[in-house]
Amino acid sequence: MKKFTCVEDIGYLKEALREALEVKRDRFAYKHLGENKTLLMIFFNSSLRTRLSTQKAAMNLGMNVMVLDVNQGAWKLETERGVVMDGDKAEHLLEAIPVMGSYCDIIGVRSFAGLQDRKADYEERVIEQFIKYSGRPVFSMEAATRHPLQSFADMITIEEHKRTARPKVVLTWAPHPKALPQAVANSFAEWVLKSDCELVITHPKGYELDEKFTRGATIEYDQRKAFEGADFIYAKNWSAYSGSNYGKVLSVDKDWTVDAEKMALTNNAYFMHCLPVRRNMIVTDEVIESPTSLVIPEAANREISAQVVLKRMLEDLQ
Ligand code: CP
């Protein structure tokens, strides 16, 4: 595997899930693969789970790990070509990327959407430059439009808990005080649609996602109707994608918060969220603390999704 930014890069999803469950049974079985190999993790944005789970996955594979927080102690990086660099950014990505590539064997990048310029965000300008100029295999630790390590972990979690061959999975928008990217929602839709699951997406009008990610899903504007008979409820906030509203918060309507009354409409559904989560905005304390909440096993599976991706990249380097 030379890059991992979207569901296509994982190949046949059923095989990837089989491999993930095998890795989970014995996560140290491939420790030899990473000997004398170095992972560089580059963060343009904050992280708890991605940082720790990916580092742990790399250690399970015997790798050395370096972490760079671009906004804490490194030179501020310019990402756009052609800019006169007379501001606060001291170094350009076009020099920084090959330099970073010279110190490592595999690169992971986290770079969120700026939510100001939809075209720039949806062209994935930062991670695409890493792929083009680093000379190394590159994987996304959440880019502007997708979060594939999260979606892969979500699919592992669904595979482990599903009670029918074709479970009904509902992706529901939920309120949040700040503008968040569409990446987790886009990516989750893209991965579920590659699986055997049924996907229903529910959100207030104005929160339609890019159809590129949702084609094949049912869009239902009535959240309660969407929840009926669901096997999994996946909650997430995202800001508007459409037109001049791109990146805006159009609603913080708490009637969209996932609560016990709505969960009672489901087929005793599991509750999922990628975390971090704002309690009593996205989901009530009662639901997230309930026996059917999967948020902790889901986060734990981030180690497994990262390990499968790193394992495949290391196998290519042998
Ligand atoms: N879910 C997730 O990516 O968490 P972090 O932002 O903490 O890495």
Side-chain angles (χ1 to χ4, degrees), residues 19 28-29 38 46 50 84 94 149 202 222 226 235 249-250 255 289:
E19 189 175 337
F28 303 107
T38 299
S46 304
T50 303
V84 177
L94 290 171
L149 284 176
T202 185
D222 181 337
V249 174
L250 306 179
D255 193 40
E289 291 170 6

Side-chain angles (χ1 to χ4, degrees), residues 162-164 166-172 198-202 223-234 258 262-271 292:
K162 68 183 186 187
R163 295 170 293 217
T164 61
R166 186 171 164 73
K168 177 179 174 182
V169 177
V170 176
L171 167 61
T172 182
E198 175 194 355
L199 178 64
V200 176
I201 303 176
T202 185
Q223 191 192 34
R224 285 176 174 77
K225 196 167 164 204
F227 273 43
E228 285 171 10
D231 298 296
F232 293 89
I233 298 296
Y234 193 100
V258 178
K262 286 180 214 160
M263 290 300 284
L265 301 169
T266 69
N267 180 27
N268 195 26
Y270 289 107
F271 174 79
T292 52

Side-chain angles (χ1 to χ4, degrees), residues 76-306:
K76 278 196 178 171
L77 295 175
E78 177 57 59
T79 57
E80 295 295 317
R81 193 168 174 277
V83 169
V84 177
M85 290 174 59
D86 58 358
D88 63 340
K89 293 177 179 165
E91 179 154 23
H92 202 286
L93 265 188
L94 290 171
E95 285 77 52
I97 291 173
V99 168
M100 292 190 273
S102 74
Y103 302 142
C104 64
D105 301 282
I106 297 176
I107 301 180
V109 182
R110 165 164 283 201
S111 174
F112 290 173
L115 296 179
Q116 301 296 317
D117 178 344
R118 186 172 89 170
K119 185 168 181 291
D121 288 343
Y122 275 68
E123 285 176 3
E124 290 286 7
R125 289 184 187 167
V126 173
I127 196 158
E128 285 301 324
Q129 290 189 77
F130 275 91
I131 291 167
K132 199 165 172 189
Y133 299 117
S134 69
R136 301 291 176 221
V138 171
F139 64 95
S140 166
M141 298 194 298
E142 186 171 342
T145 64
R146 292 178 173 94
H147 193 357
L149 284 176
Q150 180 65 52
S151 307
F152 187 13
D154 297 335
M155 296 314 298
I156 296 167
T157 311
I158 289 174
E159 185 69 17
E160 289 176 320
H161 291 87
K162 68 183 186 187
R163 295 170 293 217
T164 61
R166 186 171 164 73
K168 177 179 174 182
V169 177
V170 176
L171 167 61
T172 182
W173 181 93
H176 192 284
K178 291 187 172 174
L180 299 185
Q182 299 92 34
V184 171
N186 285 342
S187 206
F188 183 72
E190 177 175 74
W191 282 69
V192 174
L193 288 166
K194 279 275 181 216
S195 76
D196 294 331
C197 304
E198 175 194 355
L199 178 64
V200 176
I201 303 176
T202 185
H203 54 72
K205 291 212 165 136
Y207 279 99
E208 290 76 12
L209 294 164
D210 184 348
E211 274 183 30
K212 179 172 96 174
F213 298 99
T214 62
R215 205 167 289 121
T218 302
I219 311 298
E220 172 56 67
Y221 293 105
D222 181 337
Q223 191 192 34
R224 285 176 174 77
K225 196 167 164 204
F227 273 43
E228 285 171 10
D231 298 296
F232 293 89
I233 298 296
Y234 193 100
K236 185 72 185 86
N237 173 269
W238 61 89
S239 59
Y241 167 75
S242 301
S244 59
N245 281 332
Y246 180 69
K248 290 190 180 147
V249 174
L250 306 179
S251 166
V252 283
D253 183 357
K254 298 254 289 301
D255 193 40
W256 281 80
T257 300
V258 178
D259 61 17
E261 175 250 315
K262 286 180 214 160
M263 290 300 284
L265 301 169
T266 69
N267 180 27
N268 195 26
Y270 289 107
F271 174 79
M272 299 179 72
H273 187 280
C274 63
L275 304 183
V277 71
R278 299 238 181 183
R279 281 178 176 227
N280 304 309
M281 286 294 294
I282 300 278
V283 59
T284 60
D285 292 323
E286 188 181 4
V287 170
I288 199 168
E289 291 170 6
S290 72
T292 52
S293 172
L294 291 180
V295 296
I296 306 304
E298 193 183 345
N301 277 334
R302 291 292 308 276
E303 179 182 340
I304 307 304
S305 63

Side-chain angles (χ1 to χ4, degrees), residues 11-25:
Y12 187 43
L13 180 56
K14 273 195 176 148
E15 171 53 27
L17 292 172
R18 188 209 58 73
E19 189 175 337
L21 296 178
E22 182 208 310
V23 162
K24 193 165 178 175
R25 277 191 293 275

